[in-house]
Amino acid sequence: MPTAGVLAQSPEYCGVSQTGVACSHAAHSLRGSLSRLQLDYVDSVFANRTDINAPLEEIVRAMTFVIEQGMAMYRGTSRWNVVKIMEAYSIARQFNLIPPVCEQAEYHYFQRDKVELHLPELYHKIGVGAMTWSPLACGLLSGKYNEGVPESSRAAMKGYTWLKERLCSDERKKQLSKIKELHLLANRLNCMAAQLAIGNLDYCSIAPLLLLPLSAPHPGHVDCSSG
């Protein structure tokens, strides 16, 4: 399912998706994505984070515009909180615009609350689904970062300072013991820790669509270096 994301407004993100979510900016960003993907349209377009410089109604209208222009079939949100998603849905219904159909949320062993506790109300009330990402916590659960940050890893790449800072945080040090327990359990089950981590989410009914790394076409064949 081809997807595209637009309008990450935080300073750690760069490129066309940093231009905001005004209608012209969203259309320009998506056209750029379509050109790079060599596609006429994508199945879903995601508004990545909310834009503090744009009213929520403008975001909803922008996403409706790109769908009506034939550049996408559906729209979703990415890393939005439940309140903002509900507000966007209400605005869409009020002005006969297109509401979001799913939320793209980080979901893994250490990040469960949003998908399991906060989003279920939306699933049942307005039919918003979930597309989860980072099942290996950016590679943390694979054990790749147990001994620090390898030079060839994603955390060492330019533009991933946020990931390196996360890996060096006090919270990560507390998680290390749990990761070791996960690896011990995986050894007893005769599988990789990455398989165990992904399998736990893959068969969870509240996360119907799981984004796997490109190198992992099936939970049974997981590249432990992927995130």
Side-chain angles (χ1 to χ4, degrees):
M1 181 179 68
T3 64
V6 297
L7 56 112
Q9 55 85 30
S10 294
E12 65 265 27
Y13 292 88
C14 58
V16 294
S17 64
Q18 202 174 5
T19 57
V21 70
C23 190
S24 59
H25 291 159
H28 173 77
S29 178
L30 184 51
R31 286 193 187 100
S33 295
L34 292 174
S35 177
R36 290 187 293 275
L37 291 168
Q38 298 182 352
L39 294 173
D40 295 325
Y41 68 92
V42 290
D43 292 328
S44 302
V45 59
F46 289 87
N48 185 24
R49 299 174 178 262
T50 53
D51 189 342
I52 59 175
N53 297 314
L56 196 54
E57 181 183 335
E58 185 176 352
I59 297 177
V60 178
R61 290 187 180 278
M63 294 295 98
T64 299
F65 174 80
V66 297
I67 292 176
E68 291 177 341
Q69 291 297 304
M71 291 186 280
M73 296 181 65
Y74 305 98
R75 58 161 294 231
T77 56
S78 180
R79 290 186 280 187
W80 284 34
N81 62 47
V82 172
V83 174
K84 287 296 183 182
I85 296 171
M86 195 66 201
E87 286 181 14
Y89 179 87
S90 299
I91 290 172
R93 288 306 184 199
Q94 180 181 356
F95 296 104
N96 197 29
L97 302 172
I98 299 175
V101 297
C102 66
E103 159 65 7
Q104 191 179 54
E106 184 176 6
Y107 184 42
H108 50 73
Y109 187 73
F110 297 119
Q111 190 78 275
R112 309 181 74 105
D113 287 356
K114 181 177 181 179
V115 173
E116 296 182 1
L117 300 179
H118 303 157
L119 290 179
E121 183 178 0
L122 294 185
Y123 304 155
H124 300 296
K125 281 189 175 181
I126 61 177
V128 170
M131 177 183 287
T132 62
W133 60 280
S134 193
L136 297 181
C138 297
L140 187 63
L141 292 173
S142 70
K144 178 170 60 176
Y145 298 109
N146 283 359
E147 306 300 328
V149 180
E151 292 184 3
S152 59
S153 66
R154 183 186 307 174
M157 295 173 59
K158 183 179 179 181
Y160 284 90
T161 304
W162 61 271
L163 177 55
K164 188 173 183 178
E165 291 176 350
R166 178 190 293 186
L167 294 171
C168 297
S169 66
D170 292 336
E171 182 181 5
R172 183 264 175 190
K173 295 175 182 177
K174 295 177 182 178
Q175 293 171 345
L176 188 58
S177 61
K178 294 183 179 179
I179 294 173
K180 291 179 178 178
E181 291 176 2
L182 180 69
H183 281 251
L184 290 174
L185 178 58
N187 288 336
R188 289 200 296 269
L189 295 174
N190 196 29
C191 68
M192 294 185 293
Q195 290 176 307
L196 185 59
I198 290 177
N200 177 53
L201 304 178
D202 191 39
Y203 295 104
C204 185
S205 61
I206 60 175
L209 181 56
L210 177 66
L211 293 184
L212 293 172
L214 290 176
S215 55
H218 186 276
H221 300 85
V222 178
D223 181 351
C224 281
S225 65
S226 300

